[in-house]
């Protein structure tokens, strides 16, 4: 078994097959990236500035928005550069680093969505115990656990990929260093590595999703007991935003990562990957701001104060 130094850089093919359409994609993705940044920064700022949003639900939303910013920062700037560049190479270390941080923030997001499901369960099903179940100390511990667990799992996955020897082609048929397109380039048997990565994928995707489903099962059961229609609508509205993000995020991620790399199909998977690397981070601030009256009210209050301050200057 030779070491990995045979290949010292990878060539990201990305969208090179689209020719001049890459300029159009550059403009589209740049606009989406700027919208993602402005949307998530707005959510974080509003949560920090408005005291009425200093609750566990919005604390986790703020942490998720921070994670989403870094998650896209790992992928999108490099992708935008590659859309305008002929030289689309990444060094071996840079490719491994990109995969590590991408997987770290991706897993963190999955775990945070699971914790947010638990928060909704505690708020609706256990309202009398909510302040104890979701104290600020417990919230901090849960957020820290998500982040640390996310990067530990990422470290395992990245190590399993880059411990393999790469001595043949260095052409990664993707727009970033993702697991399936990179591990296919290994010139050694990767079955055991892929099996361990698959098991990690199941733990990260299926276990939190089952937990969320059980949480919402109890939530629906509790909501149906509420006598007033207005009460039911209010309870459902606090969960709807979270559910939309969960369905898109887990659905797209599962379709790519819960299968062998041999079944990787570049064009189809690139489209699905665009959904959870661009659309999901874009969806979070849009869904939580457009569907959430508390966030809308807080944004209006902050913009109102800002306009008042500007007029007085």
């Amino acid at each position: 078994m030779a070491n990995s130094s045979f290949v010292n850089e990878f060539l990201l093919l990305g969208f090179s097959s689209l020719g001049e359409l890459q300029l159009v994609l550059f403009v589209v993705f740049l606009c989406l990236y700027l919208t993602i940044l402005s949307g998530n920064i707005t959510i974080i700022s509003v949560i920090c500035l408005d005291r009425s949003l200093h609750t566990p639900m919005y604390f986790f939303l703020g942490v998720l928005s921070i994670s989403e910013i870094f998650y896209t920062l790992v992928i999108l700037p490099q992708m935008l550069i590659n859309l305008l560049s002929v030289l689309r190479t990444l060094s071996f270390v840079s490719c491994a680093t990109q995969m590590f941080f991408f997987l770290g923030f991706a897993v963190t997001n999955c775990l945070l969505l699971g914790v947010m499901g638990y928060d909704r369960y505690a708020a609706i099903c256990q309202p009398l115990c909510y302040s104890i179940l979701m104290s600020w100390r417990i919230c901090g511990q849960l957020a820290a656990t998500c982040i640390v667990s996310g990067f530990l799992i990422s470290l395992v996955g990245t190590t399993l990929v880059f411990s393999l020897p790469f001595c043949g082609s260095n052409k990664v048929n993707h727009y970033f260093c993702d697991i399936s397109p990179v591990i296919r380039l290994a010139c050694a048997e990767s079955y055991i590595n892929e099996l361990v990565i698959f098991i990690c994928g199941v733990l990260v995707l299926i276990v939190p999703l089952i937990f969320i489903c059980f949480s919402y099962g109890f939530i629906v059961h509790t909501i149906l007991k509420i006598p007033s229609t207005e009460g039911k609508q209010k309870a459902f509205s606090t969960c709807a935003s979270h559910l939309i993000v969960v369905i898109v995020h887990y659905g797209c991620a599962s379709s790519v990562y819960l299968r062998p790399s041999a079944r990787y199909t570049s064009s189809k998977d690139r489209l699905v990957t665009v959904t959870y690397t661009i659309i999901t981070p874009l969806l979070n601030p849009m869904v939580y701001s457009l569907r959430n009256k508390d966030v809308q009210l807080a944004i209006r209050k902050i913009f109102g104060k800002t306009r008042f301050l500007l007029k007085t200057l």
Side-chain angles (χ1 to χ4, degrees):
M1 291 282 288
N3 61 33
S4 304
S5 61
F6 284 123
V7 169
N8 55 24
E9 65 178 16
F10 291 97
L11 175 65
L12 299 176
L13 298 180
F15 301 98
S16 57
S17 61
L18 298 178
E20 292 181 358
L21 277 175
Q22 289 177 99
L23 289 173
V24 178
L25 285 179
F26 174 82
V27 174
V28 171
F29 289 149
L30 178 61
C31 292
L32 290 174
Y33 182 47
L34 294 175
T35 306
I36 289 167
L37 287 179
S38 58
N40 281 294
I41 289 170
T42 300
I43 291 289
I44 295 163
S45 303
V46 167
I47 290 170
C48 290
L49 295 172
D50 195 296
R51 287 184 174 274
S52 67
L53 300 182
H54 291 181
T55 63
M57 174 182 168
Y58 294 108
F59 167 74
F60 289 117
L61 177 57
V63 176
L64 181 65
S65 291
I66 293 169
S67 181
E68 293 282 22
I69 289 172
F70 285 105
Y71 171 73
T72 52
L73 187 65
V74 173
I75 303 297
L76 295 188
Q78 183 67 49
M79 184 186 76
L80 290 169
I81 292 168
N82 288 346
L83 284 169
L84 297 179
S85 174
V86 177
L87 190 65
R88 297 182 171 100
T89 56
L90 270 184
S91 70
F92 188 89
V93 173
S94 296
C95 188
T97 303
Q98 186 186 59
M99 184 181 291
F100 170 72
F101 282 105
F102 167 73
L103 292 176
F105 288 116
V107 175
T108 298
N109 292 347
C110 287
L111 299 178
L112 280 171
L113 288 171
V115 170
M116 289 171 78
Y118 171 72
D119 171 69
R120 291 299 81 210
Y121 160 78
I124 294 170
C125 301
Q126 304 290 336
L128 298 178
C129 303
Y130 183 67
S131 59
I132 298 170
L133 293 172
M134 298 303 291
S135 66
W136 285 115
R137 183 175 64 84
I138 291 173
C139 288
Q141 289 173 347
L142 286 171
T145 301
C146 289
I147 296 166
V148 172
S149 300
F151 281 94
L152 284 175
I153 292 168
S154 173
L155 181 62
V156 172
T158 307
T159 303
L160 287 167
V161 172
F162 287 94
S163 62
L164 293 165
F166 293 88
C167 50
S169 173
N170 70 337
K171 295 179 180 178
V172 178
N173 201 358
H174 210 2
Y175 60 87
F176 70 97
C177 290
D178 204 0
I179 292 173
S180 292
V182 172
I183 206 169
R184 292 182 77 199
L185 303 178
C187 52
E189 180 56 55
S190 60
Y191 173 75
I192 298 299
N193 302 58
E194 288 188 59
L195 180 62
V196 176
I197 290 169
F198 177 80
I199 292 168
C200 290
V202 170
L203 291 174
V204 167
L205 292 169
I206 301 302
V207 173
L209 186 58
I210 291 171
F211 181 77
I212 290 169
C213 289
F214 273 109
S215 296
Y216 274 99
F218 287 114
I219 287 170
V220 170
H221 179 70
T222 303
I223 289 174
L224 291 175
K225 291 181 179 179
I226 298 173
S228 68
T229 305
E230 186 182 346
K232 288 178 182 177
Q233 287 176 345
K234 187 177 179 181
F236 272 121
S237 67
T238 61
C239 302
S241 303
H242 179 248
L243 268 178
I244 292 168
V245 175
V246 164
I247 290 166
V248 175
H249 186 89
Y250 281 93
C252 294
S254 298
S255 69
V256 173
Y257 293 105
L258 296 185
R259 60 176 178 172
S261 67
R263 294 183 62 188
Y264 172 80
T265 55
S266 57
S267 57
K268 179 186 173 184
D269 285 349
R270 268 203 300 269
L271 182 62
V272 176
T273 309
V274 164
T275 303
Y276 71 80
T277 55
I278 299 176
I279 304 303
T280 304
L282 181 68
L283 195 66
N284 286 349
M286 288 181 68
V287 167
Y288 281 106
S289 60
L290 292 175
R291 291 188 58 87
N292 192 298
K293 290 180 181 179
D294 293 334
V295 174
Q296 289 175 13
L297 183 61
I299 290 172
R300 287 195 202 101
K301 281 165 60 180
I302 289 167
F303 277 109
K305 287 179 182 177
T306 305
R307 280 199 297 268
F308 176 76
L309 289 171
L310 289 172
K311 286 178 181 178
T312 57
L313 292 174

